[in-house]
Amino acid sequence: MKRDVRQGSLTIEAALLMPVILLVLMVTLYLFFYMHNKAWLTAAAYEAVLDGSMEAARPDGKIGDKALKKGKELGNTGFFSSKNLKLQASEGNKIQVIYNLDVFSVFGGINSHLQVQGNVKVIKPVSWIRKVKGATDVVRKLRE
């Protein structure tokens, strides 16, 4: 009488593979949330920078304050498994907004750091248009 020795092999294989499958699933979900946070903060940084650079068109515009205000407004959205959101803004010839975020990992309590920045050159539209118009006038006079 022959008996099939492999009766419980499917149960054992499933018991051995299930932790690996769950680990892959959790790592994938964590990666999706990490990329979501990075994409959201990148968009927020560029939106804050553009909002600040548009403030340069005003004679009494405060570029850095406007970018910080917009950056804080956009950064108040809750992020999955993250803490210590910090915002910096610097101004000059170009305005820059930097977000720093500590992302907590569920796997062994390992923390990772996410830093995202957005920068744009500040162009004052009135002076830029005058310079372009002056250059075209000079080119026209040279052609004559």
Side-chain angles (χ1 to χ4, degrees):
M1 171 178 207
K2 280 188 167 184
R3 290 186 57 185
D4 194 6
V5 179
R6 298 180 336 143
Q7 260 182 337
S9 65
L10 184 63
T11 306
I12 292 173
E13 289 171 2
L16 292 175
L17 281 178
M18 195 53 73
V20 174
I21 292 171
L22 288 175
L23 181 67
V24 169
L25 181 66
M26 292 301 290
V27 167
T28 305
L29 284 174
Y30 179 73
L31 181 65
F32 286 155
F33 281 118
Y34 181 82
M35 292 307 295
H36 169 267
N37 291 349
K38 185 173 182 175
W40 179 266
L41 283 178
T42 302
Y46 277 106
E47 190 172 339
V49 163
L50 287 174
D51 207 35
S53 70
M54 287 190 291
E55 191 70 18
R58 296 182 181 197
D60 59 342
K62 297 176 182 169
I63 300 169
D65 294 340
K66 183 72 171 178
L68 274 174
K69 181 181 177 187
K70 187 68 168 184
K72 286 179 184 176
E73 177 185 319
L74 293 171
N76 280 338
T77 306
F79 297 106
F80 174 73
S81 71
S82 59
K83 56 186 175 183
N84 298 333
L85 179 67
K86 295 175 187 159
L87 171 67
Q88 299 171 351
S90 60
E91 58 182 289
N93 289 340
K94 68 177 188 175
I95 185 166
Q96 183 175 30
V97 171
I98 300 173
Y99 282 107
N100 288 308
L101 182 68
D102 292 331
V103 181
F104 175 73
S105 174
V106 205
F107 311 109
I110 301 169
N111 288 332
S112 61
H113 185 75
L114 176 64
Q115 180 176 4
V116 173
Q117 68 179 5
N119 50 26
V120 85
K121 184 178 178 183
V122 176
I123 297 175
K124 297 187 178 180
V126 175
S127 62
W128 177 256
I129 291 171
R130 287 181 183 158
K131 286 178 186 177
V132 170
K133 189 172 187 284
T136 54
D137 289 345
V138 167
V139 170
R140 280 190 195 138
K141 287 182 182 180
L142 288 175
R143 285 186 181 173
E144 293 176 358

